[in-house]
PDB file of all heavy atoms in Angstrom:
ATOM      1  N   TRP D 225       1.079   1.222   7.317  1.00  0.00           N
ATOM      2  CA  TRP D 225       1.589   2.460   6.740  1.00  0.00           C
ATOM      3  C   TRP D 225       0.464   3.477   6.712  1.00  0.00           C
ATOM      4  O   TRP D 225      -0.714   3.130   6.627  1.00  0.00           O
ATOM      5  CB  TRP D 225       2.214   2.257   5.363  1.00  0.00           C
ATOM      6  CG  TRP D 225       1.422   1.582   4.282  1.00  0.00           C
ATOM      7  CD1 TRP D 225       1.534   0.289   3.860  1.00  0.00           C
ATOM      8  CD2 TRP D 225       0.400   2.181   3.438  1.00  0.00           C
ATOM      9  NE1 TRP D 225       0.659   0.035   2.833  1.00  0.00           N
ATOM     10  CE2 TRP D 225      -0.050   1.184   2.545  1.00  0.00           C
ATOM     11  CE3 TRP D 225      -0.172   3.451   3.360  1.00  0.00           C
ATOM     12  CZ2 TRP D 225      -1.040   1.410   1.586  1.00  0.00           C
ATOM     13  CZ3 TRP D 225      -1.168   3.678   2.409  1.00  0.00           C
ATOM     14  CH2 TRP D 225      -1.586   2.672   1.536  1.00  0.00           C
ATOM     15  N   CYS D 227      -0.789   7.009   4.832  1.00  0.00           N
ATOM     16  CA  CYS D 227      -0.631   7.945   3.734  1.00  0.00           C
ATOM     17  C   CYS D 227      -1.372   9.232   4.064  1.00  0.00           C
ATOM     18  O   CYS D 227      -2.522   9.192   4.533  1.00  0.00           O
ATOM     19  CB  CYS D 227      -1.170   7.349   2.440  1.00  0.00           C
ATOM     20  SG  CYS D 227      -0.976   8.445   1.017  1.00  0.00           S
ATOM     21  N   LEU D 291       5.659   3.884   7.988  1.00  0.00           N
ATOM     22  CA  LEU D 291       5.958   4.720   6.835  1.00  0.00           C
ATOM     23  C   LEU D 291       4.898   5.797   6.685  1.00  0.00           C
ATOM     24  O   LEU D 291       3.703   5.537   6.857  1.00  0.00           O
ATOM     25  CB  LEU D 291       5.973   3.875   5.557  1.00  0.00           C
ATOM     26  CG  LEU D 291       7.179   2.994   5.258  1.00  0.00           C
ATOM     27  CD1 LEU D 291       6.963   2.270   3.947  1.00  0.00           C
ATOM     28  CD2 LEU D 291       8.455   3.808   5.205  1.00  0.00           C
ATOM     29  N   LEU D 292       5.341   7.006   6.363  1.00  0.00           N
ATOM     30  CA  LEU D 292       4.428   8.102   6.054  1.00  0.00           C
ATOM     31  C   LEU D 292       4.500   8.353   4.552  1.00  0.00           C
ATOM     32  O   LEU D 292       5.464   8.943   4.055  1.00  0.00           O
ATOM     33  CB  LEU D 292       4.812   9.373   6.810  1.00  0.00           C
ATOM     34  CG  LEU D 292       4.498   9.441   8.299  1.00  0.00           C
ATOM     35  CD1 LEU D 292       4.855  10.820   8.843  1.00  0.00           C
ATOM     36  CD2 LEU D 292       3.032   9.137   8.567  1.00  0.00           C
ATOM     37  N   LEU D 293       3.500   7.872   3.831  1.00  0.00           N
ATOM     38  CA  LEU D 293       3.451   8.094   2.393  1.00  0.00           C
ATOM     39  C   LEU D 293       2.762   9.416   2.092  1.00  0.00           C
ATOM     40  O   LEU D 293       2.029   9.955   2.918  1.00  0.00           O
ATOM     41  CB  LEU D 293       2.696   6.958   1.702  1.00  0.00           C
ATOM     42  CG  LEU D 293       3.163   5.530   1.962  1.00  0.00           C
ATOM     43  CD1 LEU D 293       2.326   4.545   1.162  1.00  0.00           C
ATOM     44  CD2 LEU D 293       4.638   5.358   1.656  1.00  0.00           C
ATOM     45  N   GLY D 294       2.982   9.912   0.894  1.00  0.00           N
ATOM     46  CA  GLY D 294       2.288  11.105   0.422  1.00  0.00           C
ATOM     47  C   GLY D 294       1.385  10.736  -0.737  1.00  0.00           C
ATOM     48  O   GLY D 294       1.780  10.001  -1.643  1.00  0.00           O
ATOM     49  N   ALA D 295       0.156  11.238  -0.725  1.00  0.00           N
ATOM     50  CA  ALA D 295      -0.807  10.946  -1.786  1.00  0.00           C
ATOM     51  C   ALA D 295      -0.698  11.990  -2.882  1.00  0.00           C
ATOM     52  O   ALA D 295      -0.614  13.187  -2.609  1.00  0.00           O
ATOM     53  CB  ALA D 295      -2.228  10.931  -1.225  1.00  0.00           C
ATOM     54  N   ALA D 296      -0.700  11.532  -4.130  1.00  0.00           N
ATOM     55  CA  ALA D 296      -0.618  12.457  -5.261  1.00  0.00           C
ATOM     56  C   ALA D 296      -1.264  11.836  -6.485  1.00  0.00           C
ATOM     57  O   ALA D 296      -1.043  10.659  -6.780  1.00  0.00           O
ATOM     58  CB  ALA D 296       0.830  12.821  -5.568  1.00  0.00           C
ATOM     59  N   VAL D 297      -2.042  12.640  -7.191  1.00  0.00           N
ATOM     60  CA  VAL D 297      -2.636  12.233  -8.461  1.00  0.00           C
ATOM     61  C   VAL D 297      -1.959  12.965  -9.611  1.00  0.00           C
ATOM     62  O   VAL D 297      -1.687  12.385 -10.661  1.00  0.00           O
ATOM     63  CB  VAL D 297      -4.155  12.495  -8.468  1.00  0.00           C
ATOM     64  CG1 VAL D 297      -4.759  12.204  -9.837  1.00  0.00           C
ATOM     65  CG2 VAL D 297      -4.850  11.668  -7.387  1.00  0.00           C
ATOM     66  N   SER D 298      -1.648  14.235  -9.415  1.00  0.00           N
ATOM     67  CA  SER D 298      -1.041  15.052 -10.467  1.00  0.00           C
ATOM     68  C   SER D 298       0.475  15.077 -10.333  1.00  0.00           C
ATOM     69  O   SER D 298       1.041  14.751  -9.282  1.00  0.00           O
ATOM     70  CB  SER D 298      -1.571  16.482 -10.395  1.00  0.00           C
ATOM     71  OG  SER D 298      -1.085  17.133  -9.227  1.00  0.00           O
ATOM     72  N   GLU D 299       1.142  15.502 -11.390  1.00  0.00           N
ATOM     73  CA  GLU D 299       2.590  15.646 -11.353  1.00  0.00           C
ATOM     74  C   GLU D 299       3.019  16.697 -10.329  1.00  0.00           C
ATOM     75  O   GLU D 299       4.003  16.506  -9.609  1.00  0.00           O
ATOM     76  CB  GLU D 299       3.105  16.026 -12.740  1.00  0.00           C
ATOM     77  CG  GLU D 299       2.913  14.945 -13.795  1.00  0.00           C
ATOM     78  CD  GLU D 299       3.269  15.437 -15.176  1.00  0.00           C
ATOM     79  OE1 GLU D 299       4.407  15.917 -15.370  1.00  0.00           O
ATOM     80  OE2 GLU D 299       2.407  15.358 -16.075  1.00  0.00           O
ATOM     81  N   SER D 301       1.522  17.614  -7.554  1.00  0.00           N
ATOM     82  CA  SER D 301       1.400  17.083  -6.187  1.00  0.00           C
ATOM     83  C   SER D 301       2.469  16.047  -5.903  1.00  0.00           C
ATOM     84  O   SER D 301       3.009  15.977  -4.792  1.00  0.00           O
ATOM     85  CB  SER D 301       0.008  16.473  -5.981  1.00  0.00           C
ATOM     86  OG  SER D 301      -0.986  17.473  -5.995  1.00  0.00           O
ATOM     87  N   ALA D 302       2.793  15.220  -6.905  1.00  0.00           N
ATOM     88  CA  ALA D 302       3.820  14.203  -6.715  1.00  0.00           C
ATOM     89  C   ALA D 302       5.174  14.837  -6.420  1.00  0.00           C
ATOM     90  O   ALA D 302       5.921  14.379  -5.552  1.00  0.00           O
ATOM     91  CB  ALA D 302       3.901  13.310  -7.952  1.00  0.00           C
ATOM     92  N   GLU D 303       5.511  15.893  -7.142  1.00  0.00           N
ATOM     93  CA  GLU D 303       6.777  16.581  -6.890  1.00  0.00           C
ATOM     94  C   GLU D 303       6.784  17.193  -5.494  1.00  0.00           C
ATOM     95  O   GLU D 303       7.798  17.163  -4.791  1.00  0.00           O
ATOM     96  CB  GLU D 303       7.007  17.651  -7.950  1.00  0.00           C
ATOM     97  CG  GLU D 303       8.373  18.298  -7.873  1.00  0.00           C
ATOM     98  CD  GLU D 303       8.709  19.133  -9.089  1.00  0.00           C
ATOM     99  OE1 GLU D 303       7.892  19.181 -10.035  1.00  0.00           O
ATOM    100  OE2 GLU D 303       9.798  19.741  -9.094  1.00  0.00           O
ATOM    101  N   PHE D 304       5.654  17.720  -5.076  1.00  0.00           N
ATOM    102  CA  PHE D 304       5.542  18.312  -3.742  1.00  0.00           C
ATOM    103  C   PHE D 304       5.764  17.275  -2.649  1.00  0.00           C
ATOM    104  O   PHE D 304       6.542  17.501  -1.709  1.00  0.00           O
ATOM    105  CB  PHE D 304       4.167  18.967  -3.604  1.00  0.00           C
ATOM    106  CG  PHE D 304       3.734  19.224  -2.199  1.00  0.00           C
ATOM    107  CD1 PHE D 304       4.374  20.170  -1.420  1.00  0.00           C
ATOM    108  CD2 PHE D 304       2.659  18.532  -1.649  1.00  0.00           C
ATOM    109  CE1 PHE D 304       3.968  20.415  -0.110  1.00  0.00           C
ATOM    110  CE2 PHE D 304       2.254  18.764  -0.347  1.00  0.00           C
ATOM    111  CZ  PHE D 304       2.908  19.707   0.423  1.00  0.00           C
ATOM    112  N   VAL D 305       5.104  16.111  -2.731  1.00  0.00           N
ATOM    113  CA  VAL D 305       5.232  15.127  -1.654  1.00  0.00           C
ATOM    114  C   VAL D 305       6.586  14.427  -1.684  1.00  0.00           C
ATOM    115  O   VAL D 305       7.037  13.888  -0.671  1.00  0.00           O
ATOM    116  CB  VAL D 305       4.092  14.083  -1.689  1.00  0.00           C
ATOM    117  CG1 VAL D 305       2.735  14.767  -1.592  1.00  0.00           C
ATOM    118  CG2 VAL D 305       4.163  13.191  -2.909  1.00  0.00           C
ATOM    119  N   GLY D 306       7.273  14.456  -2.845  1.00  0.00           N
ATOM    120  CA  GLY D 306       8.591  13.831  -2.916  1.00  0.00           C
ATOM    121  C   GLY D 306       9.582  14.414  -1.929  1.00  0.00           C
ATOM    122  O   GLY D 306      10.512  13.729  -1.499  1.00  0.00           O
ATOM    123  N   ALA D 309       7.732  12.951   1.968  1.00  0.00           N
ATOM    124  CA  ALA D 309       7.124  11.646   2.234  1.00  0.00           C
ATOM    125  C   ALA D 309       8.145  10.521   2.157  1.00  0.00           C
ATOM    126  O   ALA D 309       9.166  10.622   1.474  1.00  0.00           O
ATOM    127  CB  ALA D 309       5.992  11.397   1.237  1.00  0.00           C
ATOM    128  N   ASP D 310       7.842   9.423   2.843  1.00  0.00           N
ATOM    129  CA  ASP D 310       8.688   8.228   2.774  1.00  0.00           C
ATOM    130  C   ASP D 310       8.441   7.435   1.495  1.00  0.00           C
ATOM    131  O   ASP D 310       9.211   6.529   1.179  1.00  0.00           O
ATOM    132  CB  ASP D 310       8.404   7.306   3.968  1.00  0.00           C
ATOM    133  CG  ASP D 310       8.808   7.920   5.292  1.00  0.00           C
ATOM    134  OD1 ASP D 310       9.758   8.725   5.310  1.00  0.00           O
ATOM    135  OD2 ASP D 310       8.166   7.607   6.317  1.00  0.00           O
ATOM    136  N   GLY D 311       7.362   7.729   0.811  1.00  0.00           N
ATOM    137  CA  GLY D 311       7.016   7.016  -0.409  1.00  0.00           C
ATOM    138  C   GLY D 311       5.807   7.672  -1.041  1.00  0.00           C
ATOM    139  O   GLY D 311       5.210   8.602  -0.471  1.00  0.00           O
ATOM    140  N   LEU D 312       5.426   7.188  -2.204  1.00  0.00           N
ATOM    141  CA  LEU D 312       4.317   7.763  -2.967  1.00  0.00           C
ATOM    142  C   LEU D 312       3.149   6.791  -3.043  1.00  0.00           C
ATOM    143  O   LEU D 312       3.350   5.601  -3.302  1.00  0.00           O
ATOM    144  CB  LEU D 312       4.781   8.079  -4.391  1.00  0.00           C
ATOM    145  CG  LEU D 312       3.689   8.485  -5.402  1.00  0.00           C
ATOM    146  CD1 LEU D 312       3.136   9.866  -5.076  1.00  0.00           C
ATOM    147  CD2 LEU D 312       4.232   8.446  -6.832  1.00  0.00           C
ATOM    148  N   LEU D 313       1.944   7.300  -2.827  1.00  0.00           N
ATOM    149  CA  LEU D 313       0.727   6.571  -3.158  1.00  0.00           C
ATOM    150  C   LEU D 313       0.001   7.355  -4.233  1.00  0.00           C
ATOM    151  O   LEU D 313      -0.348   8.523  -4.040  1.00  0.00           O
ATOM    152  CB  LEU D 313      -0.188   6.414  -1.942  1.00  0.00           C
ATOM    153  CG  LEU D 313      -1.551   5.758  -2.243  1.00  0.00           C
ATOM    154  CD1 LEU D 313      -1.382   4.302  -2.644  1.00  0.00           C
ATOM    155  CD2 LEU D 313      -2.499   5.874  -1.043  1.00  0.00           C
ATOM    156  N   THR D 314      -0.196   6.732  -5.384  1.00  0.00           N
ATOM    157  CA  THR D 314      -0.929   7.372  -6.464  1.00  0.00           C
ATOM    158  C   THR D 314      -2.006   6.426  -6.954  1.00  0.00           C
ATOM    159  O   THR D 314      -2.220   5.355  -6.370  1.00  0.00           O
ATOM    160  CB  THR D 314       0.017   7.805  -7.601  1.00  0.00           C
ATOM    161  OG1 THR D 314      -0.700   8.618  -8.530  1.00  0.00           O
ATOM    162  CG2 THR D 314       0.616   6.602  -8.319  1.00  0.00           C
ATOM    163  N   VAL D 315      -2.699   6.810  -8.016  1.00  0.00           N
ATOM    164  CA  VAL D 315      -3.795   5.999  -8.543  1.00  0.00           C
ATOM    165  C   VAL D 315      -3.445   5.536  -9.950  1.00  0.00           C
ATOM    166  O   VAL D 315      -2.570   6.089 -10.616  1.00  0.00           O
ATOM    167  CB  VAL D 315      -5.122   6.785  -8.556  1.00  0.00           C
ATOM    168  CG1 VAL D 315      -5.553   7.132  -7.139  1.00  0.00           C
ATOM    169  CG2 VAL D 315      -4.996   8.048  -9.403  1.00  0.00           C
ATOM    170  N   VAL D 322       1.144   7.893 -15.625  1.00  0.00           N
ATOM    171  CA  VAL D 322       1.672   7.408 -14.349  1.00  0.00           C
ATOM    172  C   VAL D 322       3.187   7.581 -14.310  1.00  0.00           C
ATOM    173  O   VAL D 322       3.755   7.971 -13.289  1.00  0.00           O
ATOM    174  CB  VAL D 322       1.275   5.933 -14.127  1.00  0.00           C
ATOM    175  CG1 VAL D 322       1.962   5.377 -12.888  1.00  0.00           C
ATOM    176  CG2 VAL D 322      -0.236   5.798 -13.987  1.00  0.00           C
ATOM    177  N   ARG D 323       3.844   7.293 -15.418  1.00  0.00           N
ATOM    178  CA  ARG D 323       5.302   7.462 -15.481  1.00  0.00           C
ATOM    179  C   ARG D 323       5.697   8.913 -15.178  1.00  0.00           C
ATOM    180  O   ARG D 323       6.658   9.172 -14.458  1.00  0.00           O
ATOM    181  CB  ARG D 323       5.819   7.049 -16.858  1.00  0.00           C
ATOM    182  CG  ARG D 323       7.340   7.074 -16.974  1.00  0.00           C
ATOM    183  CD  ARG D 323       7.785   6.891 -18.423  1.00  0.00           C
ATOM    184  NE  ARG D 323       7.224   5.683 -18.987  1.00  0.00           N
ATOM    185  CZ  ARG D 323       7.769   4.475 -18.847  1.00  0.00           C
ATOM    186  NH1 ARG D 323       8.874   4.337 -18.152  1.00  0.00           N
ATOM    187  NH2 ARG D 323       7.198   3.431 -19.408  1.00  0.00           N
ATOM    188  N   ARG D 324       4.941   9.851 -15.713  1.00  0.00           N
ATOM    189  CA  ARG D 324       5.255  11.258 -15.461  1.00  0.00           C
ATOM    190  C   ARG D 324       5.061  11.617 -13.989  1.00  0.00           C
ATOM    191  O   ARG D 324       5.824  12.403 -13.417  1.00  0.00           O
ATOM    192  CB  ARG D 324       4.401  12.160 -16.357  1.00  0.00           C
ATOM    193  CG  ARG D 324       4.790  12.107 -17.827  1.00  0.00           C
ATOM    194  CD  ARG D 324       4.199  13.265 -18.608  1.00  0.00           C
ATOM    195  NE  ARG D 324       2.743  13.190 -18.672  1.00  0.00           N
ATOM    196  CZ  ARG D 324       2.078  12.585 -19.653  1.00  0.00           C
ATOM    197  NH1 ARG D 324       2.726  11.988 -20.646  1.00  0.00           N
ATOM    198  NH2 ARG D 324       0.749  12.574 -19.659  1.00  0.00           N
ATOM    199  N   VAL D 325       4.043  11.041 -13.361  1.00  0.00           N
ATOM    200  CA  VAL D 325       3.821  11.270 -11.937  1.00  0.00           C
ATOM    201  C   VAL D 325       5.002  10.726 -11.126  1.00  0.00           C
ATOM    202  O   VAL D 325       5.507  11.380 -10.200  1.00  0.00           O
ATOM    203  CB  VAL D 325       2.499  10.624 -11.479  1.00  0.00           C
ATOM    204  CG1 VAL D 325       2.373  10.618  -9.958  1.00  0.00           C
ATOM    205  CG2 VAL D 325       1.307  11.368 -12.096  1.00  0.00           C
ATOM    206  N   VAL D 326       5.452   9.519 -11.478  1.00  0.00           N
ATOM    207  CA  VAL D 326       6.594   8.920 -10.783  1.00  0.00           C
ATOM    208  C   VAL D 326       7.851   9.769 -10.976  1.00  0.00           C
ATOM    209  O   VAL D 326       8.609  10.018 -10.024  1.00  0.00           O
ATOM    210  CB  VAL D 326       6.823   7.484 -11.289  1.00  0.00           C
ATOM    211  CG1 VAL D 326       8.156   6.928 -10.771  1.00  0.00           C
ATOM    212  CG2 VAL D 326       5.674   6.581 -10.856  1.00  0.00           C
ATOM    213  N   GLU D 327       8.091  10.213 -12.186  1.00  0.00           N
ATOM    214  CA  GLU D 327       9.270  11.045 -12.449  1.00  0.00           C
ATOM    215  C   GLU D 327       9.212  12.347 -11.652  1.00  0.00           C
ATOM    216  O   GLU D 327      10.241  12.819 -11.140  1.00  0.00           O
ATOM    217  CB  GLU D 327       9.374  11.325 -13.943  1.00  0.00           C
ATOM    218  CG  GLU D 327       9.760  10.101 -14.764  1.00  0.00           C
ATOM    219  CD  GLU D 327       9.661  10.345 -16.268  1.00  0.00           C
ATOM    220  OE1 GLU D 327       9.124  11.420 -16.665  1.00  0.00           O
ATOM    221  OE2 GLU D 327      10.115   9.485 -17.037  1.00  0.00           O
ATOM    222  N   ALA D 328       8.023  12.932 -11.548  1.00  0.00           N
ATOM    223  CA  ALA D 328       7.875  14.158 -10.768  1.00  0.00           C
ATOM    224  C   ALA D 328       8.157  13.902  -9.296  1.00  0.00           C
ATOM    225  O   ALA D 328       8.808  14.711  -8.618  1.00  0.00           O
ATOM    226  CB  ALA D 328       6.474  14.735 -10.960  1.00  0.00           C
ATOM    227  N   PHE D 329       7.675  12.781  -8.779  1.00  0.00           N
ATOM    228  CA  PHE D 329       7.936  12.416  -7.387  1.00  0.00           C
ATOM    229  C   PHE D 329       9.434  12.281  -7.139  1.00  0.00           C
ATOM    230  O   PHE D 329       9.969  12.820  -6.160  1.00  0.00           O
ATOM    231  CB  PHE D 329       7.211  11.110  -7.060  1.00  0.00           C
ATOM    232  CG  PHE D 329       7.517  10.552  -5.702  1.00  0.00           C
ATOM    233  CD1 PHE D 329       7.055  11.185  -4.551  1.00  0.00           C
ATOM    234  CD2 PHE D 329       8.252   9.381  -5.566  1.00  0.00           C
ATOM    235  CE1 PHE D 329       7.331  10.665  -3.293  1.00  0.00           C
ATOM    236  CE2 PHE D 329       8.532   8.864  -4.319  1.00  0.00           C
ATOM    237  CZ  PHE D 329       8.072   9.503  -3.183  1.00  0.00           C
ATOM    238  N   ARG D 330      10.117  11.603  -8.028  1.00  0.00           N
ATOM    239  CA  ARG D 330      11.560  11.429  -7.869  1.00  0.00           C
ATOM    240  C   ARG D 330      12.292  12.760  -8.015  1.00  0.00           C
ATOM    241  O   ARG D 330      13.246  13.032  -7.283  1.00  0.00           O
ATOM    242  CB  ARG D 330      12.061  10.414  -8.898  1.00  0.00           C
ATOM    243  CG  ARG D 330      11.600   8.990  -8.580  1.00  0.00           C
ATOM    244  CD  ARG D 330      11.914   8.015  -9.683  1.00  0.00           C
ATOM    245  NE  ARG D 330      11.570   6.644  -9.282  1.00  0.00           N
ATOM    246  CZ  ARG D 330      11.392   5.646 -10.128  1.00  0.00           C
ATOM    247  NH1 ARG D 330      11.531   5.853 -11.437  1.00  0.00           N
ATOM    248  NH2 ARG D 330      11.084   4.442  -9.692  1.00  0.00           N
ATOM    249  N   GLY D 334      11.985  12.167  -4.213  1.00  0.00           N
ATOM    250  CA  GLY D 334      11.546  10.812  -3.935  1.00  0.00           C
ATOM    251  C   GLY D 334      12.393   9.712  -4.542  1.00  0.00           C
ATOM    252  O   GLY D 334      11.980   8.543  -4.504  1.00  0.00           O
ATOM    253  N   LYS D 337      12.677   6.023  -3.097  1.00  0.00           N
ATOM    254  CA  LYS D 337      11.581   5.758  -2.152  1.00  0.00           C
ATOM    255  C   LYS D 337      10.537   4.858  -2.804  1.00  0.00           C
ATOM    256  O   LYS D 337      10.363   4.866  -4.023  1.00  0.00           O
ATOM    257  CB  LYS D 337      10.940   7.073  -1.710  1.00  0.00           C
ATOM    258  CG  LYS D 337      11.879   7.995  -0.942  1.00  0.00           C
ATOM    259  CD  LYS D 337      11.201   9.303  -0.579  1.00  0.00           C
ATOM    260  CE  LYS D 337      12.135  10.247   0.157  1.00  0.00           C
ATOM    261  NZ  LYS D 337      11.482  11.544   0.486  1.00  0.00           N
ATOM    262  N   PRO D 338       9.822   4.061  -1.996  1.00  0.00           N
ATOM    263  CA  PRO D 338       8.878   3.089  -2.566  1.00  0.00           C
ATOM    264  C   PRO D 338       7.663   3.744  -3.201  1.00  0.00           C
ATOM    265  O   PRO D 338       7.225   4.826  -2.809  1.00  0.00           O
ATOM    266  CB  PRO D 338       8.478   2.233  -1.365  1.00  0.00           C
ATOM    267  CG  PRO D 338       8.738   3.083  -0.169  1.00  0.00           C
ATOM    268  CD  PRO D 338       9.916   3.944  -0.523  1.00  0.00           C
ATOM    269  N   LEU D 339       7.113   3.039  -4.199  1.00  0.00           N
ATOM    270  CA  LEU D 339       5.945   3.499  -4.944  1.00  0.00           C
ATOM    271  C   LEU D 339       4.782   2.552  -4.698  1.00  0.00           C
ATOM    272  O   LEU D 339       4.904   1.335  -4.869  1.00  0.00           O
ATOM    273  CB  LEU D 339       6.256   3.528  -6.448  1.00  0.00           C
ATOM    274  CG  LEU D 339       7.491   4.306  -6.893  1.00  0.00           C
ATOM    275  CD1 LEU D 339       7.726   4.108  -8.390  1.00  0.00           C
ATOM    276  CD2 LEU D 339       7.346   5.786  -6.558  1.00  0.00           C
ATOM    277  N   TYR D 340       3.652   3.118  -4.305  1.00  0.00           N
ATOM    278  CA  TYR D 340       2.427   2.358  -4.064  1.00  0.00           C
ATOM    279  C   TYR D 340       1.342   2.899  -4.996  1.00  0.00           C
ATOM    280  O   TYR D 340       1.323   4.086  -5.317  1.00  0.00           O
ATOM    281  CB  TYR D 340       1.954   2.509  -2.618  1.00  0.00           C
ATOM    282  CG  TYR D 340       2.858   1.913  -1.562  1.00  0.00           C
ATOM    283  CD1 TYR D 340       4.168   2.377  -1.373  1.00  0.00           C
ATOM    284  CD2 TYR D 340       2.411   0.909  -0.734  1.00  0.00           C
ATOM    285  CE1 TYR D 340       4.986   1.839  -0.399  1.00  0.00           C
ATOM    286  CE2 TYR D 340       3.217   0.368   0.262  1.00  0.00           C
ATOM    287  CZ  TYR D 340       4.506   0.837   0.420  1.00  0.00           C
ATOM    288  OH  TYR D 340       5.317   0.298   1.394  1.00  0.00           O
ATOM    289  N   MET D 341       0.425   2.031  -5.368  1.00  0.00           N
ATOM    290  CA  MET D 341      -0.658   2.453  -6.259  1.00  0.00           C
ATOM    291  C   MET D 341      -1.985   1.835  -5.824  1.00  0.00           C
ATOM    292  O   MET D 341      -2.050   0.650  -5.488  1.00  0.00           O
ATOM    293  CB  MET D 341      -0.375   2.046  -7.705  1.00  0.00           C
ATOM    294  CG  MET D 341      -1.506   2.382  -8.677  1.00  0.00           C
ATOM    295  SD  MET D 341      -1.217   1.780 -10.356  1.00  0.00           S
ATOM    296  CE  MET D 341      -0.024   3.000 -10.914  1.00  0.00           C
ATOM    297  N   GLN D 342      -3.021   2.653  -5.841  1.00  0.00           N
ATOM    298  CA  GLN D 342      -4.385   2.158  -5.718  1.00  0.00           C
ATOM    299  C   GLN D 342      -4.929   1.995  -7.130  1.00  0.00           C
ATOM    300  O   GLN D 342      -5.031   2.965  -7.882  1.00  0.00           O
ATOM    301  CB  GLN D 342      -5.257   3.123  -4.926  1.00  0.00           C
ATOM    302  CG  GLN D 342      -6.693   2.654  -4.762  1.00  0.00           C
ATOM    303  CD  GLN D 342      -7.530   3.639  -3.967  1.00  0.00           C
ATOM    304  OE1 GLN D 342      -7.051   4.271  -3.033  1.00  0.00           O
ATOM    305  NE2 GLN D 342      -8.797   3.777  -4.337  1.00  0.00           N
ATOM    306  N   PHE D 418       6.433   0.007  -9.341  1.00  0.00           N
ATOM    307  CA  PHE D 418       5.547   0.001  -8.177  1.00  0.00           C
ATOM    308  C   PHE D 418       5.757  -1.267  -7.367  1.00  0.00           C
ATOM    309  O   PHE D 418       5.773  -2.376  -7.897  1.00  0.00           O
ATOM    310  CB  PHE D 418       4.090   0.142  -8.610  1.00  0.00           C
ATOM    311  CG  PHE D 418       3.740   1.553  -8.972  1.00  0.00           C
ATOM    312  CD1 PHE D 418       3.943   2.016 -10.265  1.00  0.00           C
ATOM    313  CD2 PHE D 418       3.262   2.433  -8.017  1.00  0.00           C
ATOM    314  CE1 PHE D 418       3.667   3.336 -10.607  1.00  0.00           C
ATOM    315  CE2 PHE D 418       2.984   3.748  -8.337  1.00  0.00           C
ATOM    316  CZ  PHE D 418       3.185   4.200  -9.634  1.00  0.00           C
ATOM    317  N   GLU D 419       5.912  -1.077  -6.081  1.00  0.00           N
ATOM    318  CA  GLU D 419       6.207  -2.182  -5.183  1.00  0.00           C
ATOM    319  C   GLU D 419       4.954  -2.744  -4.514  1.00  0.00           C
ATOM    320  O   GLU D 419       4.996  -3.842  -3.956  1.00  0.00           O
ATOM    321  CB  GLU D 419       7.200  -1.722  -4.109  1.00  0.00           C
ATOM    322  CG  GLU D 419       8.495  -1.230  -4.728  1.00  0.00           C
ATOM    323  CD  GLU D 419       9.476  -0.728  -3.701  1.00  0.00           C
ATOM    324  OE1 GLU D 419       9.171  -0.801  -2.495  1.00  0.00           O
ATOM    325  OE2 GLU D 419      10.550  -0.260  -4.101  1.00  0.00           O
ATOM    326  N   GLU D 420       3.878  -1.981  -4.547  1.00  0.00           N
ATOM    327  CA  GLU D 420       2.631  -2.467  -3.975  1.00  0.00           C
ATOM    328  C   GLU D 420       1.475  -1.927  -4.797  1.00  0.00           C
ATOM    329  O   GLU D 420       1.369  -0.715  -5.025  1.00  0.00           O
ATOM    330  CB  GLU D 420       2.503  -2.023  -2.510  1.00  0.00           C
ATOM    331  CG  GLU D 420       1.269  -2.596  -1.820  1.00  0.00           C
ATOM    332  CD  GLU D 420       1.347  -2.461  -0.297  1.00  0.00           C
ATOM    333  OE1 GLU D 420       2.385  -2.880   0.268  1.00  0.00           O
ATOM    334  OE2 GLU D 420       0.412  -1.936   0.309  1.00  0.00           O
TER     335      GLU D 420
END
Side-chain angles (χ1 to χ4, degrees):
W225 54 258
C227 181
L291 283 180
L292 285 184
L293 306 182
V297 174
S298 69
E299 294 172 56
S301 292
E303 187 168 358
F304 161 68
V305 302
D310 294 330
L312 171 70
L313 175 67
T314 189
V315 296
V322 173
R323 185 190 305 275
R324 289 196 294 268
V325 169
V326 170
E327 289 172 351
F329 174 70
R330 289 172 175 161
K337 297 178 181 179
L339 306 174
Y340 294 62
M341 177 185 284
Q342 180 180 324
F418 283 87
E419 301 178 2
E420 185 165 309

